[in-house]
Amino acid sequence: MRRVVCPGSFDPVTNGHLDIVSRASGLYDEVVVAVLINITKKTLFTVDERVEIWEEVTKDYGNVRVDRFHGLLVDFCAANGINTVVRGLRAVSDFEYEMQMAQMNYRLAKVETLFMSTNPLYSFLSSSMIKEIARYGGDVSGLVPEPVVSRLRTRLAEE
Ligand code: PNS
């Protein structure tokens, strides 16, 4: 079975992330979305919430499984029989960091990384920008999946 992982913080999931996962699901037998459990960084959404959102937005795909991980991505890959990571590349500014991670993951465990060019409709999107816009009352509909729009509204009203 050709299985790949799409890892990330996904705080929150954007339409750019969803586009990559959706395209990867058409290319591979199984796509595992791996949500990072980051205990050192304060996130707007808990890992349970981020997993729940992914499950909701990928429920119709059939070959997308959502999981969580902490520690090294290569260890998650080994535990799940995965040797390929799929990452979206938005712009040249992403390249340096992504290349470094890809080379390190290959050096650590021969885990390959395949880069998918982001849909130009979403190339300017980032989770941190979405949070900032939503926090100041801007409209993020069309940039993130609908469940994220409503959860952002609720969460930011609580702050
Ligand atoms: O969405 P992000 O925050 O850009 O995703 C980054 C992520 C989660 C893919 C990366 O930080 C990661 O793999 N973290 C796990 C720790 C690890 O394996 N570090 C070494 C990779 S070089």
Side-chain angles (χ1 to χ4, degrees):
M1 173 180 290
R2 293 171 315 144
R3 183 185 290 136
V4 291
V5 64
C6 290
S9 306
F10 307 123
D11 186 44
V13 176
T14 67
N15 281 348
H17 295 134
L18 186 56
D19 179 67
I20 297 290
V21 167
S22 152
R23 286 156 62 201
S25 87
L27 296 171
Y28 292 94
D29 298 321
E30 187 180 41
V31 176
V32 180
V33 174
V35 178
L36 180 70
I37 304 170
N38 191 340
I39 43 172
T40 58
K41 201 169 149 194
K42 192 175 155 11
T43 52
L44 185 63
F45 293 105
T46 66
V47 69
D48 285 343
E49 290 170 324
R50 287 177 279 147
V51 165
E52 245 174 64
I53 293 168
W54 264 120
E55 283 172 345
E56 197 175 340
V57 300
T58 58
K59 63 180 186 305
D60 296 331
Y61 284 85
N63 66 342
V64 176
R65 178 162 70 79
V66 186
D67 206 340
R68 63 192 70 202
F69 78 107
H70 59 85
L72 292 180
L73 179 60
V74 292
D75 291 339
F76 177 85
C77 289
N80 287 275
I82 296 170
N83 67 2
T84 309
V85 177
V86 170
R87 294 280 287 174
L89 267 189
R90 288 167 299 190
V92 179
S93 49
D94 282 342
F95 185 76
E96 211 172 320
Y97 169 62
E98 293 295 336
M99 188 71 168
Q100 196 179 5
M101 280 203 297
Q103 289 174 334
M104 183 57 84
N105 286 332
Y106 189 80
R107 169 67 178 73
L108 287 172
K110 296 219 163 12
V111 168
E112 300 282 5
T113 299
L114 299 182
F115 295 117
M116 202 176 260
S117 60
T118 294
N119 183 326
L121 285 175
Y122 306 125
S123 58
F124 56 91
L125 266 184
S126 72
S127 296
S128 46
M129 213 178 253
I130 289 294
K131 282 182 281 196
E132 185 169 296
I133 293 162
R135 203 163 255 136
Y136 293 114
D139 181 15
V140 295
S141 52
L143 303 177
V144 293
E146 190 46 48
V148 175
V149 178
S150 48
R151 280 172 188 259
L152 274 170
R153 209 173 289 131
T154 313
R155 178 54 40 83
L156 294 170
E158 290 163 1
E159 277 192 345

